[in-house]
């Protein structure tokens, strides 16, 4: 939704000199993502922000952290059903980890 909405805004306002860009990351090491340590494929918030700032104004849609761009390229070669199954399993595992953490806090 955000990607499509951003693209529509870009197309509508480009003639008025207003650029709209949708940056599409993969995972970034944040509390919200439940990823504590950064790595080559998972940048820190500062690392991602530096990459994101370099891409402002170049393309209406981009993946500014180059290892993420590489992964997106590989992901697009796979069948969509396989990617969806992986995403679901990954997100369910993150949710379960968060629920376990919350239950420990209550004890």
């Amino acid at each position: 939704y955000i990607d499509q909405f951003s693209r529509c805004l870009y197309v509508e306002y480009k003639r008025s000199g207003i650029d709209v860009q949708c940056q599409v990351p993969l995972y970034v090491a944040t509390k919200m993502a439940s990823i504590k340590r950064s790595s080559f494929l998972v940048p820190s918030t500062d690392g991602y922000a530096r990459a994101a700032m370099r891409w402002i104004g170049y393309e209406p849609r981009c993946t500014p952290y180059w290892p993420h761009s590489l992964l997106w390229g590989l992901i697009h070669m796979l069948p969509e059903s396989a990617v969806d199954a992986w995403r679901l399993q990954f997100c369910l595992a993150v949710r379960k980890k968060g629920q376990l953490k919350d239950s420990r806090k209550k004890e």
Side-chain angles (χ1 to χ4, degrees):
Y1 172 80
I2 298 297
D3 184 34
Q4 186 63 36
F5 182 64
S6 297
R7 186 63 181 206
C8 290
L9 289 174
Y10 168 79
V11 169
E12 185 174 348
Y13 289 104
K14 182 69 175 168
R15 285 186 242 148
S16 301
I18 299 169
D19 286 325
V20 176
Q21 182 182 63
C22 181
Q23 294 193 356
V24 185
L26 288 173
Y27 292 101
V28 177
T30 65
K31 287 182 183 179
M32 186 173 89
S34 298
I35 303 172
K36 295 179 181 181
R37 293 190 184 113
S38 61
S39 66
F40 176 70
L41 295 176
V42 180
S44 66
T45 53
D46 289 341
Y48 182 80
R50 280 191 300 276
M53 294 296 289
R54 287 191 298 266
W55 276 88
I56 290 176
Y58 285 102
E59 296 177 20
R61 182 177 194 259
C62 66
T63 303
Y65 186 66
W66 76 266
H68 287 180
S69 295
L70 182 65
L71 281 175
W72 273 120
L74 295 172
I75 288 168
H76 285 298
M77 291 183 203
L78 298 172
E80 197 168 330
S81 60
V83 175
D84 288 345
W86 174 81
R87 280 186 182 143
L88 178 61
Q89 291 305 311
F90 185 84
C91 290
L92 290 175
V94 168
R95 180 192 301 166
K96 185 175 183 178
K97 184 178 175 181
Q99 289 171 337
L100 285 171
K101 186 178 178 180
D102 287 344
S103 68
R104 287 187 200 127
K105 285 182 182 179
K106 291 177 183 176
E107 293 175 358

